[in-house]
């Protein structure tokens, strides 16, 4: 599956979309290409499938021949995914929506960055570029297959390039399904946007279309199973995934619309609500009240914390009494270093509290969604939809670390804050209504 996430956001100070771009490694058209552990698992499954299928489709070859054919299939498969996403990224860049990196995972590829398409034409062309490139690769592989067959180059080579042609054709057709986040869904969104002139309405129309298409696939899967074909299971699962993702997109669009006019400064909790904690502290020191009242970070009073009591000896509020669930970490210079949540602390065994530092437990800054007080809330919410890249980032999903102009932490936005922002936006909308 190829999912091209293009949140409607602009690049600016403190608006990192989460994972930082990898340093070094493969770069194509100026974009870093990252193969995740999921891509490695996908490659291993391709090797296994090739080992089971190739000897039956092209018998009589040596083990070295099958090994070389498997290598061509694996490299060709991953290259097809990269080309698909590279086409998205290059066209998006030409329309003023630069990408940060290309990431290949178990479910295909994704272009990550800070995108905002100024016109529906740009969105349409960027969405269509991926399937178009896959169809071109499929046609090229068909041409190579016919040439090899005409030259009597051997059945194994013909099978390999036939497989690559089939992979690219399926990649193009599957991504044209009108599901949320898929190329087909983005094409529907662009067409609806162009027709209505309203970006949000176009996104809602695309989400509803995805739900309808998902329901049709589920019904088709059930009907296929009723006739005794087990392939209906996959059809139904795809339909369920489309239905769920399209519903999520509809909720996201409505939430972003409700936050129109609000900026981070209107929602971020007041000073002291999420104290910046020294990242070099041990877990034990933090839980026992290592940060006392009166410490200042970015001009905010820092509250102390402990676990057992509601207050520590000097009267500062405890971890439980503070009500905070997420804490920004700072380095020796006071700059933001990461984000720590209660769920991460709860996973640390008690016998390691004295050895582990908070920065060892927290999500590092490069894996945290960051923002500034001037960013629109709807823009920030769109960036939060990017799926976490590491297990550590799962704990801070739905959170945003607010960073001041000097790089110091200025607060944390939690899922509760985003829900409150939606409610504030609805109230403001009703107040503006005649």
């Amino acid at each position: 599956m190829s999912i091209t996430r293009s949140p409607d956001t602009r690049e600016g100070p403190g608006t990192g979309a989460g994972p930082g771009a990898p340093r070094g490694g493969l770069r194509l058209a100026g974009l870093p290409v990252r193969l995740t552990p999921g891509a490695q698992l996908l490659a291993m499954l391709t090797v296994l499938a090739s080992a089971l299928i190739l000897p039956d489709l092209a018998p009589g070859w040596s083990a070295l021949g099958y090994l070389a054919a498997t290598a061509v299939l694996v490299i060709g498969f991953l290259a097809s995914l990269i080309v698909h996403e590279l086409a998205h990224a290059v066209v998006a860049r030409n329309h003023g929506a630069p990408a940060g990196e290309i990431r290949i995972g178990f479910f295909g590829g994704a272009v990550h960055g800070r995108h905002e398409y100024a016109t529906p034409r740009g969105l349409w062309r960027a969405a269509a570029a991926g399937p178009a490139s896959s169809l071109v690769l499929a046609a090229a592989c068909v041409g190579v297959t016919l040439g090899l067959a005409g030259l009597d180059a051997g059945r194994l080579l013909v099978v390999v390039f036939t497989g690559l042609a089939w992979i690219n054709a399926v990649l193009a057709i599957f991504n044209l399904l009108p599901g949320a986040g898929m190329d087909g869904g983005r094409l529907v969104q662009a067409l609806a946007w162009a027709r209505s002139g309203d970006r949000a309405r176009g996104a809602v129309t695309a989400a509803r279309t995805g739900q309808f298409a998902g329901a049709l696939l589920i019904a088709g899967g059930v009907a296929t199973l009723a006739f005794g074909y087990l392939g209906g299971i996959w059809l139904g699962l795809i339909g369920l995934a489309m239905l769920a993702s399209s519903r999520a997109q509809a909720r996201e669009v409505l939430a972003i619309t409700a936050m129109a006019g609000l900026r981070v400064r209107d929602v971020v909790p007041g000073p002291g609500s999420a104290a910046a904690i020294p990242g070099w502290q041990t877990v034990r020191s933090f839980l026992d009240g290592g940060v006392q009242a009166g410490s200042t970070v970015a001009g905010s009073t820092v509250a102390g914390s402990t676990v057992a009591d509601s207050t520590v000896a000097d009267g500062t509020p405890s971890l439980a009494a503070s009500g905070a669930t997420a804490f920004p970490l700072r380095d020796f210079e006071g700059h933001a270093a990461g984000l720590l949540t209660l769920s991460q602390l709860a996973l640390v065994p008690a016998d390691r509290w004295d050895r582990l530092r908070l920065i060892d437990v927290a999500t590092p800054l490069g894996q945290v969604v960051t923002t500034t007080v001037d960013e629109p809330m709807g823009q920030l919410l769109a960036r939060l939809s990017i799926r976490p890249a590491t297990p550590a980032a799962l704990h801070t999903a739905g959170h945003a670390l607010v960073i001041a102009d000097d790089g110091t932490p200025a607060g944390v936005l939690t899922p509760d804050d985003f829900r409150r922002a939606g409610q504030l936006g609805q109230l403001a909308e009703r107040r503006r209504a005649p």
Side-chain angles (χ1 to χ4, degrees):
M1 181 187 300
S2 173
I3 302 176
T4 306
R5 298 294 311 185
S6 300
D8 294 327
T9 61
R10 295 184 186 273
E11 183 173 3
T15 57
R23 297 178 181 178
L26 178 64
R27 298 183 69 90
L28 295 173
L31 294 171
V33 179
R34 177 183 175 189
L35 298 180
T36 68
Q40 299 170 18
L41 178 58
L42 184 63
M44 288 188 289
L45 291 177
T46 305
V47 170
L48 178 61
S50 300
L52 295 175
I53 295 174
L54 289 180
D56 291 335
L57 296 179
W61 288 73
S62 65
L64 184 60
Y66 290 125
L67 183 62
T70 299
V72 172
L73 274 174
V74 172
I75 295 174
F77 189 10
L78 295 178
S80 297
L81 294 174
I82 293 173
V83 169
H84 182 105
E85 301 305 330
L86 184 62
H88 283 307
V90 170
V91 176
R93 183 170 58 191
N94 292 339
H95 286 274
E101 69 170 356
I102 295 173
R103 187 179 305 147
I104 306 299
F106 183 77
F107 294 103
V111 176
H112 289 275
R114 294 171 284 275
H115 301 261
E116 181 173 276
Y117 294 96
T119 64
R121 176 178 294 183
L123 176 59
W124 187 90
R125 289 182 176 177
S133 65
S134 295
L135 290 175
V136 169
L137 287 178
C141 289
V142 169
V144 173
T145 300
L146 294 176
L148 291 174
L151 295 174
D152 196 20
R155 183 171 178 80
L156 183 58
L157 288 176
V158 172
V159 168
V160 168
F161 282 94
T162 299
L164 290 176
W166 180 84
I167 287 172
N168 281 281
V170 170
L171 186 62
I173 295 171
F174 183 74
N175 276 279
L176 288 174
L177 292 175
M182 301 182 69
D183 300 332
R186 301 187 70 78
L187 289 172
V188 172
Q189 178 181 347
L191 293 174
W193 177 11
R195 184 173 181 178
S196 65
D198 189 323
R199 183 199 303 264
R201 182 177 298 179
V204 172
T205 300
R208 291 174 178 171
T209 303
Q211 294 179 54
F212 179 73
L216 285 181
L217 287 177
I218 293 173
V222 172
T224 303
L225 281 174
F227 284 102
Y229 295 99
L230 295 180
I233 296 177
W234 293 107
L235 200 61
L237 290 176
I238 293 173
L240 283 173
M242 286 181 57
L243 188 63
S245 62
S246 297
R247 284 179 175 174
Q249 176 178 317
R251 290 193 297 268
E252 178 185 324
V253 172
L254 293 176
I256 291 174
T257 303
M259 295 181 189
L262 289 177
R263 295 186 178 272
V264 171
R265 68 171 69 253
D266 302 320
V267 182
V268 65
S273 58
I277 310 298
W280 62 89
Q281 271 192 302
T282 65
V283 174
R284 172 82 65 183
S285 175
F286 173 63
L287 296 179
D288 288 345
V291 180
Q292 302 299 325
S295 300
T296 57
V297 177
S300 301
T301 300
V302 176
S305 55
T306 188
V307 173
D309 306 313
S310 60
T311 59
V312 292
D314 62 358
T316 60
S318 72
L319 185 63
S322 70
T325 59
F327 307 89
L329 299 185
R330 58 185 174 91
D331 58 20
F332 287 104
E333 298 178 351
H335 296 157
L339 186 60
L340 178 70
T341 63
L342 288 180
S343 61
Q344 290 170 316
L345 285 172
L347 293 177
V348 181
D351 59 357
R352 303 188 65 188
W353 285 3
D354 292 319
R355 298 195 303 270
L356 287 179
R357 298 176 302 163
L358 295 181
I359 195 63
D360 300 325
V361 180
T363 304
L365 185 63
Q367 300 292 337
V368 176
V369 175
T370 60
T371 184
T372 65
V373 294
D374 294 321
E375 183 175 12
M377 286 297 298
Q379 188 170 289
L380 173 60
L381 183 61
R383 291 196 291 116
L384 287 177
S385 64
I386 299 177
R387 57 182 181 266
T390 64
L394 290 173
H395 292 274
T396 51
H399 295 70
L401 178 58
V402 186
I403 299 181
D405 292 338
D406 58 359
T408 57
V412 176
L413 291 176
T414 67
D416 287 338
D417 294 319
F418 285 97
R419 283 189 288 269
R420 183 166 59 89
Q423 295 166 355
L424 290 174
Q426 292 174 356
L427 290 174
E429 180 65 25
R430 291 173 183 174
R431 178 176 295 180
R432 290 191 295 267

